[in-house]
Amino acid sequence: MDNSGECCSTQLIDGDGVFNVDGLESFINEVKLRECGLSYAIVSIMGPQSSGKSTLLNHLFRTNFREMDAFKGRSQTTKGIWLAKGADIEPCTLVMDLEGTDGRERGEDDTAFEKQSALFALAVSDIVLINMWCHDIGREQAANKPLLKTVFQVMMRLFSPRKTTLLFVIRDKTRTPLENLEPVLREDVQKIWDNVPKPQAHKETPISEFFNVEVTALSSYEEKEEQFKEQVAILRQRFFHSIAPGGLAGDRRGVVPASAFAFSAQQMWKVIKENKDLDLPAHKVMVATVRCEEIAHEKYSSFTENEVERIEEAVHLGPIPGFGKKVISILDAYLSGYDSEAVYFDESVRSSKRKQLEEKLLQLVKPAFQSVLEHIGCETLDKFKEAFDKALNGGKGFSVAAHDCAQFYVALFDKGCADAVIEQAKWDTSRAQEKLRRDIDAHVASVRAAKLSELTKAYEEKLNVALSGQVETHLEKADNETWSDIRELLSRETRWAVIGFSGALSGFDLDEQRKENMLSAIKDHARGVVEAKAREKAGRVLVLALMKARFTTLFRPHAGFLWTVSDNIERINNDARSASLKVLSVMAAVRFDDERDNIEKTLSDALLDSISTATDGSITTVDPLASNTWEGELSRRGDLRNRMTAWLIGIDVADEVVDVVEDAVEDALT
């Protein structure tokens, strides 16, 4: 009995399998267990020898189990089963430290005790910590697997389900996130459960009826001590109130009252000891599993320390010629070292562990391999861009240049990949090739878009030059042929532009719909040039200037600066005004269709021809623009403006022209 400090401990079962009845009785009295009723928890730990079980328990529960001295080599420290009380944890928590599995001290063929002690732990504990190496996850010959297979099978035959919590503690966690490790581990446990022979009563019983499976991970105690201690401190909190609802053992069943724990544990051990089925599997396989794993782990660690960084630094600078063969040579050296050290162990275990080592080593170099592929891809893409640009500048058709260059450089990439491939890995390079193809397609699409944009702008500019000046000239002429001349001009220039543009597009391998859309856009642009120029000339300042210029040109004396008696001023005035309205009627609407309209007549009727009734009842024709008639017409000006505006809007005349006419009418009426 050791009761130094706050921790109290005793050897529950010695190395020969003898149950320490007196020692347990004294321990129970010392920790006052009988007073706890059902408010106590039993926690045990199992796992390979020298895997740090005692160290973990001492940090987790502040116990004083004997720990291995790393400087004296790996050997058995815990013999039998030791029991201690966790310090400063509620409820009262009893902790069992089990002798490590696969211990060499017991000899190759004596595996009964380790299986018996493991089964005992599962049978009496509320929570069983299963200490395991991180690199055991997903391995068929992991150190704990044969043991778990046996105890699962016997547990179902000897005991009823009590919902023991299995807390797998992953030791020496690597950089792989826990969320990636946990599903693999859970799958391993489920496979063990699914494959073990079951009695008829439990043929369909799920593992959840017997066990709750929890997973956590810890860093290496030897290499990252401070981080290990921080993680253990967090894990320790989970054991507070562990039997409360939602706790680690919150749904346990068949709890033995604290006063009967000693008798119950003694009887449990007796049943287990007398059961002969616990002699299998053979310890030879167990030892081979552990030792081959140790050799493999040593080679893995050495490779990690001596090769990985050197390989990664080399590939960081760019592609390495013969990368695949160089890596294969390095891998073979480490695998040969494993073979020479593991040659005398069980062949099936040795082969299995060798395959696992090879897979792990390949995973270490896979990032470097992927970097090499990325370098080859980037280098190939740059060469493609250069060659593609050169081909286009040399006059080669766009589609032909794109196809030929892509085909050549994808083949070049495949050749580079073949040089980098590691045969044993059988890694697929198709995704890297697909990425290169996507990058090439994206570049081709980008260049195509730029070229098409450039081509479109060139033809639009040609149309601007061909149409803008001539349209302006025709509009300033403003006669009966103006819009027919503009339509002919538009049709001719658009036709030539479409022919040229269509020919230029043929080299880009466009689908018919896109080509049709682009040709349609060119046609729309041509119409837009005409419409923009017409609207520009129809603007308030320009249209008034043209109207005034036309009126001024026609309304002037024939003899120079003076009118003569023979001049018919009224006729000249009417002709000048009609010609001025001709300008307005030409500018009033954009006439893309050869359809006659009555814009000019309506303007003339509204602004030149006005019918009024004289005081004697006779009907006379008066000029509504004559200033001496405005006084009698003032009451009608609002109606005139409204009618003119409504008419102009009704024939879809440009807003600028509406404004001009409205202002002209307003000026005339005032």
Side-chain angles (χ1 to χ4, degrees):
M1 171 79 69
D2 183 348
N3 58 359
S4 59
E6 292 186 45
C7 176
C8 180
S9 63
T10 189
Q11 188 175 38
L12 181 63
I13 300 172
D14 66 19
D16 296 324
V18 178
F19 195 95
N20 186 3
V21 178
D22 294 337
L24 178 58
E25 186 67 19
S26 298
F27 174 84
I28 289 175
N29 291 334
E30 182 69 22
V31 302
K32 301 179 181 179
L33 180 64
R34 291 184 176 87
E35 300 174 9
C36 296
L38 298 178
S39 184
Y40 73 103
I42 305 295
V43 178
S44 60
I45 190 167
M46 56 184 283
Q49 178 182 297
S50 306
S51 60
K53 299 187 300 299
S54 301
T55 300
L56 174 59
L57 293 180
N58 289 341
H59 282 85
L60 197 56
F61 300 101
R62 299 175 186 171
T63 51
N64 59 0
F65 295 119
R66 182 185 174 194
E67 299 180 15
M68 181 190 72
D69 187 347
F71 293 99
K72 294 181 179 180
R74 295 186 177 274
S75 61
Q76 189 176 46
T77 53
T78 302
K79 295 182 180 180
I81 300 176
W82 283 76
L83 181 67
K85 179 181 182 296
D88 303 319
I89 287 185
E90 290 294 335
C92 175
T93 300
L94 303 186
V95 184
M96 290 196 302
D97 189 10
L98 276 64
E99 177 178 321
T101 60
D102 61 80
R104 296 175 182 77
E105 289 79 355
R106 286 190 174 273
E108 181 175 323
D109 295 321
D110 184 8
T111 60
F113 183 84
E114 64 188 44
K115 289 188 287 292
Q116 291 167 348
S117 60
L119 182 57
F120 176 77
L122 287 171
V124 304
S125 301
D126 300 303
I127 303 167
V128 177
L129 303 179
I130 299 180
N131 211 44
M132 65 182 301
W133 301 116
C134 182
H135 50 257
D136 265 345
I137 297 175
R139 305 300 186 231
E140 285 303 315
Q141 296 299 325
N144 285 311
K145 282 193 174 181
L147 180 61
L148 282 176
K149 289 177 182 177
T150 300
V151 296
F152 278 5
Q153 180 179 348
V154 180
M155 183 108 181
M156 281 186 288
R157 184 162 56 83
L158 299 183
F159 306 109
S160 300
R162 64 187 308 273
K163 292 302 285 287
T164 304
T165 295
L166 300 181
L167 176 55
F168 286 84
V169 181
I170 302 172
R171 302 296 295 273
D172 293 1
K173 176 184 172 297
T174 61
R175 288 181 293 181
T176 304
L178 178 59
E179 55 264 32
N180 292 349
L181 296 172
E182 183 172 346
V184 180
L185 180 55
R186 288 183 178 274
E187 184 179 356
D188 285 349
V189 176
Q190 186 63 50
K191 283 181 180 178
I192 294 173
W193 181 264
D194 292 341
N195 293 330
V196 296
K198 300 179 179 68
Q200 191 62 38
H202 294 299
K203 284 291 185 183
E204 304 299 329
T205 303
I207 189 174
S208 58
E209 280 296 301
F210 276 85
F211 304 106
N212 291 319
V213 178
E214 298 284 344
V215 182
T216 189
L218 300 175
S219 299
S220 171
Y221 176 67
E222 294 179 3
E223 298 176 6
K224 300 178 180 179
E225 183 175 351
E226 291 304 317
Q227 190 173 348
F228 171 84
K229 290 179 178 179
E230 291 174 2
Q231 293 167 348
V232 169
I234 295 173
L235 179 59
R236 174 179 166 84
Q237 297 302 313
R238 298 188 68 183
F239 290 88
F240 284 83
H241 309 296
S242 59
I243 61 174
L248 273 176
D251 57 348
R252 62 181 181 168
R253 303 173 189 168
V255 183
V256 176
S259 59
F261 172 74
F263 176 78
S264 174
Q266 185 178 358
Q267 293 302 308
M268 192 77 71
W269 180 247
K270 181 180 179 181
V271 171
I272 291 173
K273 282 284 287 182
E274 292 175 353
N275 190 279
K276 302 303 180 183
D277 291 343
L278 293 175
D279 290 339
L280 296 176
H283 190 64
K284 180 180 179 180
V285 174
M286 303 266 301
V287 171
T289 298
V290 173
R291 183 58 189 140
C292 289
E293 181 64 40
E294 288 177 349
I295 297 171
H297 181 66
E298 178 187 338
K299 299 305 176 187
Y300 177 85
S301 299
S302 178
F303 186 88
T304 302
E305 181 178 350
N306 299 318
E307 306 295 344
V308 174
E309 186 175 352
R310 184 166 62 86
I311 294 173
E312 289 180 347
E313 287 178 353
V315 302
H316 180 71
L317 301 176
I320 301 175
F323 174 82
K325 292 182 179 179
K326 291 178 181 178
V327 171
I328 290 173
S329 177
I330 297 172
L331 291 174
D332 284 346
Y334 282 85
L335 292 173
S336 296
Y338 168 87
D339 290 339
S340 63
E341 293 185 43
V343 64
Y344 296 111
F345 292 100
D346 181 84
E347 183 179 357
S348 63
V349 175
R350 182 176 74 243
S351 299
S352 174
K353 290 298 177 182
R354 187 188 195 279
K355 182 173 179 59
Q356 293 167 15
L357 173 61
E358 183 179 66
E359 291 173 354
K360 290 175 66 177
L361 295 180
L362 287 172
Q363 287 304 311
L364 287 176
V365 299
K366 190 172 185 179
F369 171 74
Q370 291 173 332
S371 295
V372 170
L373 293 189
E374 289 176 6
H375 284 306
I376 296 173
C378 291
E379 203 173 73
T380 305
L381 181 62
D382 289 340
K383 290 179 180 178
F384 167 82
K385 291 178 179 179
E386 183 179 350
F388 184 44
D389 187 54
K390 186 176 180 180
L392 292 178
N393 291 336
K396 202 168 188 178
F398 186 92
S399 296
V400 174
H403 176 269
D404 291 349
C405 289
Q407 192 173 38
F408 178 82
Y409 284 99
V410 168
L412 185 66
F413 172 80
D414 290 341
K415 184 178 179 181
C417 288
D419 185 59
V421 162
I422 302 169
E423 293 180 4
Q424 295 96 318
K426 297 180 181 179
W427 289 324
D428 187 10
T429 61
S430 61
R431 294 182 64 181
Q433 189 201 78
E434 288 171 7
K435 181 181 183 305
L436 175 63
R437 288 184 180 275
R438 289 196 301 271
D439 291 341
I440 287 176
D441 290 344
H443 179 71
V444 170
S446 175
V447 174
R448 179 188 287 110
K451 293 289 185 183
L452 290 176
S453 176
E454 181 181 318
L455 189 63
T456 300
K457 289 180 181 178
Y459 273 89
E460 288 177 349
E461 186 58 34
K462 287 182 181 180
L463 285 170
N464 291 345
V465 173
L467 293 173
S468 186
Q470 293 193 64
V471 169
E472 183 171 358
T473 300
H474 285 307
L475 289 173
E476 290 178 351
K477 184 177 64 173
D479 58 18
N480 290 331
E481 304 303 321
T482 292
W483 278 106
S484 64
D485 291 343
I486 290 176
R487 284 193 297 273
E488 183 180 348
L489 171 67
L490 175 62
S491 176
R492 181 177 65 252
E493 296 300 333
T494 300
R495 182 171 62 257
W496 284 114
V498 167
I499 292 172
F501 193 47
S502 178
L505 293 179
S506 63
F508 286 90
D509 195 24
L510 301 176
D511 62 77
E512 287 302 318
Q513 184 59 53
R514 186 176 180 188
K515 184 177 180 180
E516 187 61 35
N517 291 342
M518 295 185 72
L519 293 175
S520 178
I522 281 293
K523 296 175 184 178
D524 291 342
H525 179 79
R527 292 168 66 94
V529 171
V530 173
E531 184 173 352
K533 180 56 67 175
R535 287 185 177 277
E536 176 190 331
K537 300 301 288 185
R540 182 187 305 277
V541 176
L542 291 179
V543 75
L544 284 177
L546 288 173
M547 291 172 69
K548 290 177 181 178
R550 182 67 58 88
F551 182 86
T552 302
T553 300
L554 297 177
F555 188 73
R556 61 175 53 175
H558 289 294
F561 297 99
L562 297 174
W563 294 104
T564 64
V565 176
S566 62
D567 288 326
N568 187 337
I569 297 176
E570 182 178 356
R571 182 179 59 77
I572 294 172
N573 176 53
N574 288 336
D575 290 345
R577 291 188 180 195
S578 295
S580 182
L581 280 181
K582 168 65 74 175
V583 172
L584 184 59
S585 69
V586 168
M587 300 295 187
V590 177
R591 298 170 175 87
F592 285 125
D593 299 320
D594 187 15
E595 294 181 1
R596 291 194 170 277
D597 56 58
N598 59 352
I599 293 177
E600 183 176 4
K601 181 177 183 304
T602 306
L603 285 173
S604 178
D605 291 345
L607 298 179
L608 293 182
D609 301 329
S610 178
I611 307 300
S612 63
T613 304
T615 55
D616 59 358
S618 63
I619 297 179
T620 60
T621 301
V622 296
D623 182 359
L625 299 181
S627 60
N628 61 355
T629 66
W630 285 158
E631 292 180 3
E633 297 294 326
L634 288 178
S635 62
R636 297 167 56 193
R637 65 180 179 177
D639 180 56
L640 178 59
R641 291 186 75 255
N642 290 337
R643 284 188 292 108
M644 287 300 301
T645 300
W647 171 76
L648 291 168
I649 293 174
I651 62 171
D652 195 23
V653 177
D655 293 341
E656 295 88 340
V657 177
V658 175
D659 293 341
V660 169
V661 174
E662 284 186 343
D663 289 348
V665 173
E666 183 67 29
D667 291 343
L669 292 175
T670 56

